[in-house]
Amino acid sequence: MTIPEIFETMEYGAAPESAAEALAWLVDQGDRFGHFIDGAFTTPSDGFEAKNPANGNVLASLSQATQNDVDAAVKAARRAQPKWEKLGGPGRARYIYALARLLQKHARLFAVLEVMDNGKPIREARDIDVPLAQRHFYYHAGMAQLMDSELPDAQAIGVCGQIIPWNFPLLMLAWKVAPALAMGNTVVLKPAEYTSLTALLFADICLQAGLPKGVVNIVTGDGAVGEMIVAHDDIDKIAFTGSTDVGRRIRAATAGSGKALTLELGGKSPYIVFDDADLDSAVEGLVDAIWFNQGQVCCAGSRLLVHEPVADLFYAKLRTRMGKLRLGDPLDKSIDVGTLVDPVQLQSVSEMINANPAGERFVADVDVPEAGCFYPPTLITGLHPADTLMQEEIFGPVLVSTTFRTPEEAVQLANNTRYGLAATVWSENVNLALDIAPKLRTGIVWINGTNLMDAAAGFGGVRESGFGREGGWEGLAAYTRPKGTRRPLKEIAAFEGDGAPQDTVDRTAKLYIAGKQARPDGGYSRGVYSKNGALLGHASLANRKDLRNAVEAAHAAKGWSATTGHLRAQILYFIAENLVVRHAEFADRLNNLTGSRSGAKEVDAAVQRLFTYAAWADKYDGQVHGVPIRGVALAMKEPVGVIGAICPDEAPLLGLVSCMAPAIAMGNRVILAASEPFPLAATDFVQVLETSDVPAGVVNILTGAHADLAEPMARHLDVDAVWSFGAAAHSAVIEKAAAGNLKRTWVNHGMARDWMTSDGEGRAFLEAATEVKNIWVPYGE
Ligand code: NAI
């Protein structure tokens, strides 16, 4: 098109970005890459090709890491870690800052290389991916600077294995590497096999920044290399972003290994448009929600829910807008939609759409280049909420939709998914939008905006979207652990005896479910004996049916989560007061049960613990993150939901209280498996609960064998998190079973906790008892 013609038609002309510099960099590297290990590139070896998905051209050849390569990378990271940590926050901050500066200096090169490797439009790589990656390094240089003063009790985890996907190759690298380095960890990172080039360019700038060798190591290859990292004995933490299926496999593979784990997985995020929304803005928002990065975004607004009164009008506007989207050469600055990442992804999207003909399809009438992995923007309306395309992640430029009649129905549809990453709400009515936000079961809510991200605001989901947050203060928890070392837990066996009861009254303690004392389903109990063999009573043996009843009761008590912190504090104070009244009786009971003389001290500590969490109930507040857009992100602390806990065997009263109190203070409902050898302190405690106004179902107490309860608790789809402070063996069982619906777990891996001290309470418990939901709201100018 000539310039006069452009003036005549006002059509967009081509505005190609040059590939020359990026190609020259590849040539400079010899077009063949090894891995980046211990501060140097290794000799290239056999592997695979990096291809440009827009035209199929080979960009470079890459090496497939072997077990030896992974071992060498882990070894280098291990060697480098102590020194890197000892450098101190400000020392590390200087390097991280230098990386940020270099990312900025080479921004155009990074953007162009990313586009050639991934197929995303240059506008996005240039204006979103690369600036956000820089921002992440700047932000975390600051976190390193502040670590010593603001997180005095935290230390690095050690060596982190990081596995990232292909949709935001450099940005995901930044999300993983920056916080890890800031907190004093070293890393072994594996980029996705389709998109390794910007990670290798990043290795180059690590050299330019003079980063100490071994702090960042990058190995390339496919899922098999990912598996080697996951399985490696000398890695302390795995951080993964990618598909839910692989996330589930990693959860199962790391079960019981003691490795820390964070998973950022898929989504099917609802995009809710109310009838009072600014419809034109909402249409424009959808361009960013589902056609951004060709829909290959874990938090893409891929499930459109439209208020019935405006549905026809909204769909009409949307179809018109779709017809204006420009597909084409990703390096062209005037295109909106580029190519999918690889022919494999194009095939998977096409197959999924072809295999599911439900609904009415609208394919945008736009020019689609014949060569390259292009897929036309598509809208499918009139779907049923249960249809495959409404439930499964398509990960392509395909929007699916249905309508709703009332706000309640919108919430119900929005939550009708196994995922829980993000949600978008469009309404001009602030009351409505802020009424809906807390009801959405997601880690992120955007109001009148979408796909907003910033280093200051934690990113991450709930349910099968994974666990853990990246970014913000909350993201640092994933890369730190408490200072000090724990000693191994001593396993405690129940006392045996054949002593006769001390009186003739039947003393079989029941279970406590739904606010009532309940006989165990199996009808079995066991004798509980003192150290010298005297029969103290019988404890019921709960089975999986009792557990199911307890979960049902906990669910029915969901009103507890909507109560105020003030009310929950009052009830915790009341429990404490009622325990104080029975101090002597509990002290005696504990002495008899455990054969120690520390009963009175334990009751004192339990009372104090209740007071502590009563104090916290209305003070563990969220934050407001300042983000560099017209808005703020409200980081709200929400209850996790239903928490199952295997309570410690030792400290039978204090351990139970230490699990119960933080959980219910934060609005959760709990199922507590009491100390296995010493269950009768828990069953006595039921009487305290019964006189303390705790609503039925908020606290449920089971006794019996932990081994019978741990697995079904972790497997149960309606339990949102499981904690275990019991015997070591339960940790592995719980982590493995939790892979089913990817619930959060917090287990001891056989390490002891000192329940009598501050080790047994505080922020770690409050963090485990809450989810952070970041709600982005328009604010200011
Ligand atoms: P993937 O989950 O297989 O790949 C992500 C990363 O994990 C890559 O680096 C890959 O090499 C690695 N990996 C693969 N198998 C592994 C294993 N067994 N152990 C350790 N690491 C392993 O994603 P894939 O197959 O490339 O894409 C398939 C689908 O996954 C997409 O269509 C999309 O639905 C979803 N996906 C979601 C992402 C998200 O950000 N939520 C990102 C990428 C993909």
Side-chain angles (χ1 to χ4, degrees):
M1 208 186 297
T2 63
I3 290 176
E5 276 169 354
I6 292 173
F7 272 113
E8 193 57 40
T9 61
M10 292 307 280
E11 283 293 313
Y12 282 89
E17 174 75 34
S18 166
E21 291 290 325
L23 289 170
W25 180 77
L26 291 170
V27 172
D28 255 11
Q29 312 297 308
D31 289 333
R32 278 167 65 75
F33 288 86
H35 313 289
F36 183 67
I37 297 175
D38 208 16
F41 281 99
T42 61
T43 310
S45 59
D46 288 350
F48 52 103
E49 287 171 335
K51 285 189 184 156
N52 183 337
N55 52 28
N57 292 346
V58 174
L59 298 167
S61 83
L62 304 170
S63 305
Q64 165 82 8
T66 61
Q67 185 66 53
N68 281 346
D69 296 322
V70 172
D71 290 348
V74 174
K75 209 165 166 189
R78 174 64 63 201
R79 216 172 23 237
Q81 197 274 327
K83 216 165 155 196
W84 177 246
E85 186 170 10
K86 275 204 205 87
L87 198 57
R92 292 194 300 275
R94 284 180 56 184
Y95 286 105
I96 299 168
Y97 182 76
L99 290 171
R101 296 283 289 178
L102 285 162
L103 276 171
Q104 202 165 15
K105 177 174 164 188
H106 299 295
R108 195 50 72 99
L109 177 58
F110 270 104
V112 173
L113 194 63
E114 194 79 302
V115 169
M116 288 164 62
D117 205 14
N118 166 281
K120 61 176 67 207
I122 181 74
R123 270 194 309 127
E124 291 178 8
R126 183 194 63 192
D127 300 345
I128 297 170
D129 295 54
V130 176
L132 276 179
Q134 292 160 16
R135 161 100 179 115
H136 230 74
F137 277 94
Y138 280 125
Y139 180 85
H140 284 97
M143 284 301 196
Q145 186 76 25
L146 297 179
M147 183 179 180
D148 301 345
S149 64
E150 298 307 305
L151 302 168
D153 301 325
Q155 63 178 342
I157 291 185
V159 174
C160 302
Q162 308 186 314
I163 300 167
I164 57 173
W166 40 259
N167 49 352
F168 294 92
L170 178 70
L171 185 58
M172 290 302 109
L173 174 148
W175 282 20
K176 297 277 180 283
V177 172
L181 263 47
M183 298 294 105
N185 305 278
T186 54
V187 306
V188 175
L189 174 123
K190 189 195 85 64
E193 52 273 41
Y194 301 140
T195 55
S196 305
L197 294 179
T198 46
L200 294 165
L201 177 57
F202 179 78
D204 198 357
I205 71 158
C206 288
L207 288 173
Q208 290 178 38
L211 193 69
K213 59 183 192 175
V215 170
V216 169
N217 304 275
I218 295 173
V219 289
T220 52
D222 59 13
V225 181
E227 279 178 29
M228 290 177 207
I229 294 175
V230 167
H232 204 290
D233 281 348
D234 203 25
I235 284 186
D236 304 298
K237 184 225 157 74
I238 297 289
F240 172 78
T241 299
S243 61
T244 295
D245 283 350
V246 173
R248 190 173 280 125
R249 257 184 278 160
I250 292 177
R251 167 70 293 180
T254 53
S257 67
K259 286 189 183 97
L261 178 65
T262 44
L263 298 174
E264 299 288 352
L265 309 175
K268 190 78 185 176
S269 298
Y271 187 103
I272 311 169
V273 180
F274 284 100
D275 60 355
D276 61 2
D278 172 345
L279 296 187
D280 293 317
S281 299
V283 166
E284 213 45 45
L286 267 176
V287 175
D288 292 334
I290 186 68
W291 291 297
F292 171 54
N293 205 19
Q294 298 69 246
Q296 302 167 126
V297 182
C298 50
C299 52
S302 54
R303 207 159 42 102
L304 170 64
L305 308 176
V306 192
H307 211 165
E308 245 176 44
V310 292
D312 289 343
L313 176 62
F314 189 73
Y315 289 140
K317 282 175 181 277
L318 180 56
R319 291 188 188 110
T320 306
R321 180 68 183 90
M322 287 169 70
K324 303 275 181 215
L325 290 169
R326 294 179 308 274
L327 270 70
D329 176 7
L331 277 176
D332 182 341
K333 282 170 249 172
S334 65
I335 66 117
D336 300 306
V337 181
T339 80
L340 301 190
V341 71
D342 189 87
V344 169
Q345 186 65 11
L346 179 61
Q347 191 184 344
S348 115
V349 171
S350 310
E351 280 176 4
M352 190 164 175
I353 301 305
N354 295 340
N356 292 285
E360 290 101 56
R361 270 149 216 239
F362 172 79
V363 179
D365 183 19
V366 294
D367 292 334
V368 181
E370 275 179 20
C373 305
F374 291 93
Y375 193 92
T378 303
L379 167 69
I380 305 177
T381 51
L383 287 171
H384 188 272
D387 284 336
T388 307
L389 295 182
M390 286 292 278
Q391 290 293 330
E392 298 300 321
E393 196 175 31
I394 300 170
F395 228 61
V398 182
L399 178 64
V400 298
S401 182
T402 192
T403 57
F404 65 86
R405 272 163 289 187
T406 60
E408 293 70 37
E409 197 189 357
V411 170
Q412 195 216 332
L413 285 170
N415 289 337
N416 179 11
T417 166
R418 60 196 170 103
Y419 296 112
L421 188 48
T424 302
V425 179
W426 289 83
S427 166
E428 291 296 290
N429 179 351
V430 65
N431 296 306
L432 177 64
L434 294 180
D435 174 58
I436 299 293
K439 295 177 180 160
L440 297 170
R441 294 198 59 197
T442 60
I444 304 160
V445 177
W446 294 297
I447 294 177
N448 295 335
T450 200
N451 269 339
L452 303 169
M453 294 163 207
D454 182 59
F459 184 96
V462 296
R463 304 205 271 185
E464 293 194 31
S465 293
F467 43 79
R469 294 288 179 270
E470 295 188 294
W473 289 97
E474 59 263 34
L476 302 178
Y479 287 101
T480 53
R481 63 187 170 94
K483 278 188 177 154
T485 43
R486 295 197 177 282
R487 62 195 157 75
L489 186 68
K490 274 203 226 113
E491 300 212 352
I492 304 171
F495 295 126
E496 312 246 333
D498 50 10
Q502 285 159 346
D503 54 47
T504 50
V505 182
D506 175 23
R507 297 202 179 275
T508 304
K510 299 197 181 66
L511 308 172
Y512 183 57
I513 297 174
K516 294 197 189 74
Q517 302 203 28
R519 285 180 201 289
D521 167 71
Y524 290 105
S525 58
R526 76 158 176 92
V528 179
Y529 299 92
S530 70
K531 193 174 180 182
N532 55 18
L535 181 67
L536 299 174
H538 282 88
S540 298
L541 296 176
N543 63 17
R544 57 181 67 213
K545 178 108 188 283
D546 299 307
L547 175 76
R548 282 210 297 273
N549 292 340
V551 175
E552 208 172 291
H555 263 273
K558 64 176 182 293
W560 180 250
S561 299
T563 54
T564 61
H566 174 72
L567 179 106
R568 297 195 293 266
Q570 296 301 304
I571 289 182
L572 282 158
Y573 282 127
F574 199 17
I575 300 173
E577 283 168 15
N578 287 327
L579 182 58
V580 169
V581 172
R582 301 176 62 168
H583 188 288
E585 183 194 329
F586 270 93
D588 269 359
R589 176 63 115 179
L590 290 167
N591 288 341
N592 283 334
L593 273 172
T594 63
S596 78
R597 312 197 59 79
S598 57
K601 264 205 213 140
E602 187 176 333
V603 183
D604 286 341
V607 170
Q608 285 310 317
R609 196 131 294 163
L610 288 161
F611 278 130
T612 297
Y613 289 112
W616 269 121
D618 55 2
K619 295 175 193 65
Y620 190 58
D621 292 327
Q623 289 181 315
V624 182
H625 296 303
V627 285
I629 57 152
R630 195 200 138 233
V632 289
L634 308 176
M636 304 293 291
K637 302 265 168 61
E638 294 190 342
V640 174
V642 172
I643 299 178
I646 304 286
C647 298
D649 286 337
E650 71 278 18
L653 174 69
L654 179 59
L656 180 104
V657 166
S658 301
C659 294
M660 178 199 80
I664 68 170
M666 295 296 108
N668 300 283
R669 293 88 72 197
V670 289
I671 296 131
L672 305 168
S675 163
E676 186 171 332
F678 312 129
L680 299 182
T683 50
D684 291 355
F685 188 65
V686 166
Q687 294 151 17
V688 174
L689 294 173
E690 282 178 330
T691 51
S692 304
D693 291 348
V694 182
V698 170
V699 178
N700 303 277
I701 297 179
L702 304 179
T703 51
H706 288 174
D708 291 344
L709 298 173
E711 207 245 272
M713 203 181 248
R715 203 170 282 290
H716 201 301
L717 294 179
D718 281 338
V719 173
D720 300 294
V722 176
W723 301 352
S724 176
F725 302 105
H730 308 315
S731 297
V733 169
I734 288 170
E735 288 187 333
K736 192 151 212 151
N741 72 345
L742 288 162
K743 60 174 65 70
R744 271 173 84 178
T745 57
W746 188 34
V747 299
N748 64 3
H749 294 294
M751 291 296 150
R753 198 171 268 277
D754 187 353
W755 297 102
M756 294 297 286
T757 69
S758 60
D759 189 31
E761 68 180 24
R763 286 182 182 271
F765 286 79
L766 295 165
E767 265 168 32
T770 47
E771 294 285 0
V772 180
K773 180 190 271 177
N774 273 281
I775 303 170
W776 294 65
V777 293
Y779 184 82
E781 288 185 80

